[in-house]
Amino acid sequence: QVQVAESGGGSVQAGGSLRLSCTVSGGTFSGNALGWFRQGPGKEREWVACINTGRSATSYDDSFRGRFTISQDSAKNMAYLAMYTLKPEDSATYFCAVKPRHLCRRKGLTPADFDYWGQGTQVTVSS
């Protein structure tokens, strides 16, 4: 059973940066699609970025390209989401999710595309 756990959330001032971590256990880390999503209060869960674990390919929703960066450390079974120039509207719960034995699409990913989810980590950006 694959388990996913996020960490690294917290409070930050607008304009600041934060790096979230995602730890994957209970399965093979490489060869999967690993995505980051976020959900703000009263909003739907939206896709942020995706990385093919064990490979270099990444994809981003256009809203986050250039400001957020997804990466991985396969030796540690971990992925990361580095967020820069944060804005109050980036405040949300951020989730990591895994789809085993799949590759990321280049666009239009949805929560239904992923099988295993973490509990989320809260990010609060103050103005």
Side-chain angles (χ1 to χ4, degrees):
Q1 180 78 4
V2 176
Q3 294 183 318
V4 181
E6 307 90 343
S7 61
S11 297
V12 63
Q13 296 271 10
S17 303
L18 206 59
R19 190 180 79 157
L20 307 181
S21 299
C22 174
T23 303
V24 180
S25 60
T28 302
F29 181 78
S30 294
N32 307 319
L34 186 150
W36 281 99
F37 288 76
R38 75 179 190 182
Q39 188 167 17
K43 297 183 179 180
E44 293 187 353
R45 195 167 297 189
E46 60 178 340
W47 173 55
V48 176
C50 191
I51 190 165
N52 292 328
T53 55
R55 304 184 182 195
S56 59
T58 59
S59 56
Y60 295 85
D61 181 273
D62 289 343
S63 300
F64 305 102
R65 189 186 307 276
R67 199 163 60 90
F68 289 11
T69 302
I70 191 170
S71 62
Q72 63 183 309
D73 185 338
S74 298
K76 296 181 178 179
N77 287 1
M78 294 185 70
Y80 307 95
L81 183 69
M83 307 181 292
Y84 304 97
T85 320
L86 285 163
K87 309 171 185 178
E89 51 264 43
D90 292 318
S91 297
T93 301
Y94 285 73
F95 297 90
C96 180
V98 172
K99 176 73 170 179
R101 300 177 300 281
H102 274 72
L103 299 176
C104 301
R105 291 201 305 274
R106 294 182 63 81
K107 58 177 62 178
L109 287 163
T110 71
D113 292 317
F114 292 85
D115 296 331
Y116 299 98
W117 291 82
Q119 294 298 308
T121 186
Q122 179 68 39
V123 172
T124 302
V125 184
S126 57
S127 57

